[in-house]
Amino acid sequence: MCIICRKKAPKKELIRFVCIIENNKKKLIEDIKQTKPGRGFYVCSPKCKEKLNTFKGWLKKCKGVKN
């Protein structure tokens, strides 16, 4: 499910992002192969991908992430 628009789609059709910590700040990186470990978030389109930069809901869900 897309975390921006809540659209449901098969996993292969979604773009996955993984939460990491870099320089003591939480950050999302795109997981092209969908194989990286960690908390993943999905968006359905490039339009939702752009909105992800301003969407802060993922910060709360990355609470326990350690790298």
Side-chain angles (χ1 to χ4, degrees):
M1 181 187 317
C2 177
I3 64 168
I4 302 298
C5 68
R6 312 290 288 171
K7 176 185 169 188
K8 291 185 180 183
K11 185 177 172 182
K12 290 182 181 181
E13 293 178 14
L14 300 172
I15 305 165
R16 184 173 192 251
F17 287 85
V18 178
C19 185
I20 63 164
I21 296 179
E22 189 174 275
N23 298 328
N24 293 328
K25 291 189 177 184
K26 293 176 184 176
K27 177 179 166 180
L28 288 179
I29 59 168
E30 191 170 347
D31 183 10
I32 296 167
K33 294 182 181 180
Q34 296 189 352
T35 58
K36 292 186 182 197
R39 180 70 166 112
F41 301 93
Y42 295 89
V43 294
C44 64
S45 65
K47 183 179 173 184
C48 286
K49 185 177 175 181
E50 289 176 17
K51 291 180 182 179
L52 188 61
N53 294 330
T54 58
F55 177 71
K56 300 297 179 190
W58 62 269
L59 286 169
K60 196 177 212 180
K61 295 178 187 281
C62 287
K63 235 180 192 178
V65 174
K66 297 177 185 175
N67 280 353

